[in-house]
Structure formats: structure tokens, C-alpha cells
Amino acid sequence: MVKAKFDAVVTSRLLRWSIGLAMSLCFNINGVSAGGIRTATVTLRLDPYVILQQVAQQMNVTLRPDVPLPKIFLESNTPLRQFQRAIAPQWKFRPHVFANAYAAERNEIYLSDDARYYKKRNRTLDDSLAHEFVHYIQVRYRNDDLSDDSCEMEAIDMQLSFIENNAPAVVASGYGKASAVNSSRLPSLDISLL
């Protein structure tokens, strides 16, 4: 009985969180950057909670419903000023450009969805989100201090592991060769249904 209630609470929170992110991705359809310049954007191929579950499993962490999930903001629909205000206290400087980051104090993840960034680095929005989820788990589940270099090294290791484990499933949107997605194993986020 307790486990069923726990599962229902977790499912409800995760569903609301996934829908919120999906809605934010839908508003991203115009491809306008925070600076007002029209750019091509990438989207997530996997549901954010699937990515979080994979990261948590790799880190041997059990997700709990009492730990708030982070809000996720994409560069194409987030003012640079908001990113700067969120991350400046943590980084001890005010960045002049948008970057992928986890703002620990606010429990917010900021992601660039600029296609040029991912094409240049041969990466995906999914593996960037996996990297930031590592920082979320480090802070919210383990109380790690993100100023410790070992946190970034672990996030990079987990990101590389995520890439290895999902190479056939995660394909950069808008460029590269398409690969088959095994939807029974890793469901993708279909924003066209919302």
C-alpha cells in the first residue's frame, strides 16, 4: 500500500515535470535565441525523466519523490539576463553568453539548444542534459560541493557513459545520420502530441 502510494506520487510529479518541459520545447518551435536572432535549434530525443533515471542508475542513486525535480530552461526561450542572475552567484562572475549549467541554489538547469553548438561538438541535447542531471544528483542527493573539481570530472564521465549507452538511440536533431530508436527500451519525447 505504501509503495503504491509512493509510486503514484513519483509518477504524478514526473508526469507534470515532463509535460512542463515538453510545453517549453513546443514554444521553442520558432527557433529564436535569447538575443533575438533566429537560429536552428535541437530538441531532446528522449524523455527527460528517462535520461534522469539512467543517470541516477549509473550513479547508484535511488530517486525520491521528496526531492524536487529541477526546472529546465532552453536558451531559445530564456532571456540571457535570467541565466546570468541564476548562475553568477555560483560561478562568482556574470557570464556574457548562455551555457549549459545547473544552478544549484535555484534547482534550475540551463541548456543551449543552438544546433550549431551541438553540430560543432558532435554532441546532443540529451547528453548535455545527462551531464547537468549529474550535478543535480550531486547537490540534491549527495550534498556535494560543485566547486570541487571532482564533481565536474564525474559529470563528464557519466556523460560519456550516457553517450556510449545511448549511441543507437540518441541522434543529433537536424544533422548527422539517423539511427533507429528502440522505443520499447528508451521512449522518446513526442512533442507533436501535446
Side-chain angles (χ1 to χ4, degrees):
M1 177 82 171
V2 173
K3 183 176 179 352
K5 186 174 180 179
F6 176 82
D7 289 343
V9 169
V10 169
T11 301
S12 173
R13 286 184 182 177
L14 297 175
L15 181 61
R16 283 185 299 200
W17 180 69
S18 293
I19 289 171
L21 177 63
M23 293 295 287
S24 106
L25 291 173
C26 287
F27 292 122
N28 177 29
I29 208 151
N30 291 333
V32 178
S33 72
I37 300 169
R38 188 170 293 281
T39 62
T41 59
V42 294
T43 58
L44 290 170
R45 301 286 293 184
L46 300 175
D47 183 276
Y49 190 67
V50 170
I51 297 170
L52 177 58
Q53 285 176 316
Q54 287 184 23
V55 170
Q57 183 177 12
Q58 285 180 295
M59 295 176 73
N60 295 316
V61 169
T62 302
L63 298 174
R64 300 187 325 258
D66 61 313
V67 178
L69 295 169
K71 291 181 182 176
I72 300 172
F73 296 95
L74 300 175
E75 178 180 15
S76 62
N77 57 14
T78 304
L80 176 60
R81 221 176 353 200
Q82 177 184 333
F83 169 70
Q84 291 170 325
R85 287 182 186 141
I87 209 67
Q90 183 173 312
W91 286 0
K92 310 276 191 268
F93 71 93
R94 188 176 176 94
H96 296 289
V97 295
F98 208 94
N100 295 335
Y102 173 65
E105 187 175 307
R106 293 184 181 203
N107 195 27
E108 296 174 345
I109 291 176
Y110 291 87
L111 295 170
S112 172
D113 56 349
D114 185 337
R116 294 171 300 177
Y117 171 84
Y118 293 98
K119 185 174 183 177
K120 183 177 181 180
R121 289 162 180 78
N122 196 28
R123 295 199 21 220
T124 68
L125 189 59
D126 295 67
D127 73 75
S128 289
L129 181 57
H131 179 103
E132 300 311 327
F133 274 146
V134 172
H135 293 312
Y136 159 75
I137 290 171
Q138 289 167 336
V139 170
R140 298 292 168 169
Y141 285 84
R142 299 191 328 207
N143 295 316
D144 290 352
D145 178 1
L146 292 183
S147 65
D148 182 338
D149 289 343
S150 67
C151 288
E152 185 61 20
M153 298 311 296
E154 180 183 32
I156 292 168
D157 288 344
M158 292 292 124
Q159 181 178 10
L160 293 173
S161 179
F162 177 85
I163 292 168
E164 277 182 28
N165 293 334
N166 292 286
V170 180
V171 179
S173 297
Y175 62 89
K177 295 180 180 176
S179 299
V181 175
N182 182 348
S183 60
S184 64
R185 191 173 138 255
L186 296 171
S188 62
L189 178 64
D190 186 354
I191 61 174
S192 64
L193 298 176
L194 297 175

